[in-house]
Amino acid sequence: MKIGGLRRLSLIDFPDRIAAVVFTQGCNLRCPWCHNGELIPEEKPAALAWRDVLGFLKGRPGKLDGVVFTGGEPLLQEGLASAMEDARALGFSVKLDTNGTLPDRLGPLIREKRIDYVAMDLKAPNGSFSRITGRSIDFSRILESIRLIMESEIPYEFRTTLIPGFHTRDVFESMLTLISGAGRYVLQNLSGFPTYAPDFSRLSPLGKEEMEAFRRLAAPFVESCVASDAG
């Protein structure tokens, strides 16, 4: 496990859980709005060893309910399944954040019931995915991850950070068809933090009325759609 950081306490990253957040180092996408840009380079040295994180967690049963593995892209980590088992052995629920590009690694974690909650970023429809993420990905991988998640019995959410000028109504509706019938969909606004592409730091977040308009568009496609303040 190559770990880029640890948030020792979070009330917002794991629904209905008080959690620690483990940030893995390395990502296979280059989303320009990413505000964890320091976690993108896979070659960057780890900031922490898993044994140090595990030592911290051993002192937190009864104080924390869960552990979130986020990134970067956690599924790039060869030691992820083992780390999840370590966390579960201490009595913690486990949440995974993923970009959906690695269904071959996601599937076994779902089947082996190593995950208690999964959140997948839905970034763009097929025709625009490489342009907005900076990487060419076989889009069938995204579709397979969506299928795996929706057909599982694991609580889940899909989420989209809405980018002014990119997520037009047509683009957004194309994305909604991919997750029609999903349980929970979270719409996120731009965070205002420094972004991987500096120009994106100067974009103005959407207003409340604009966010609500997107939420209303999504509502007929999913069981629950919520709009949060930051992505």
Side-chain angles (χ1 to χ4, degrees):
M1 283 280 288
K2 184 178 281 190
I3 299 170
L6 172 67
R7 182 177 297 152
R8 294 170 180 261
L9 178 67
S10 171
L11 303 177
I12 62 172
D13 288 280
F14 196 152
D16 303 318
R17 300 286 194 279
I18 301 171
V21 183
V22 178
F23 295 88
T24 61
Q25 184 68 46
C27 188
N28 56 346
L29 299 182
R30 295 295 183 271
C31 303
W33 68 88
C34 179
H35 60 265
N36 285 333
E38 72 281 359
L39 296 173
I40 289 178
E42 295 182 42
E43 66 277 7
K44 185 177 178 180
L48 291 167
W50 173 246
R51 65 177 178 273
D52 297 324
V53 176
L54 190 57
F56 163 75
L57 292 175
K58 286 178 177 178
R60 290 301 181 274
K63 299 176 182 177
L64 297 176
D65 305 310
V67 178
V68 178
F69 290 90
T70 189
E73 173 48 58
L75 290 173
L76 291 171
Q77 304 295 323
E78 296 294 340
L80 179 62
S82 177
M84 287 178 165
E85 279 304 295
D86 289 341
R88 290 173 64 86
L90 293 173
F92 297 115
S93 299
V94 168
K95 174 176 178 271
L96 171 69
D97 292 346
T98 181
N99 60 28
T101 60
L102 299 168
D104 54 323
R105 298 191 178 189
L106 174 63
L109 296 178
I110 291 176
R111 290 191 294 271
E112 295 163 11
K113 299 183 179 180
R114 297 178 187 266
I115 311 171
D116 299 290
Y117 194 100
V118 58
M120 176 181 154
D121 290 318
L122 184 63
K123 297 175 183 293
N126 188 8
S128 307
F129 191 87
S130 61
R131 178 165 65 89
I132 195 64
T133 64
R135 287 291 185 269
S136 180
I137 298 290
D138 180 353
F139 200 74
S140 67
R141 296 184 187 182
I142 303 299
L143 298 178
E144 176 63 5
S145 291
I146 292 171
R147 185 192 68 80
L148 287 168
I149 291 169
M150 290 183 63
E151 291 183 0
S152 77
E153 297 179 355
I154 298 171
Y156 67 87
E157 66 185 49
F158 296 103
R159 57 194 188 187
T160 297
T161 300
L162 294 169
I163 309 302
F166 173 76
H167 287 114
T168 62
R169 178 172 181 144
D170 288 345
V171 167
F172 187 63
E173 288 182 337
S174 294
M175 294 165 59
L176 291 172
T177 63
L178 304 177
I179 57 167
S180 181
R184 177 177 164 85
Y185 187 31
V186 178
L187 302 179
Q188 301 173 324
N189 210 342
L190 285 174
S191 66
F193 292 105
T195 52
Y196 179 70
D199 286 350
F200 274 66
S201 297
R202 293 189 281 272
L203 288 177
S204 298
L206 298 176
K208 289 184 178 181
E209 292 183 1
E210 293 171 297
M211 291 293 292
E212 175 59 18
F214 278 108
R215 191 200 66 77
R216 287 197 301 268
L217 279 175
F221 290 84
V222 297
E223 294 177 15
S224 172
C225 182
V226 297
S228 67
D229 290 334

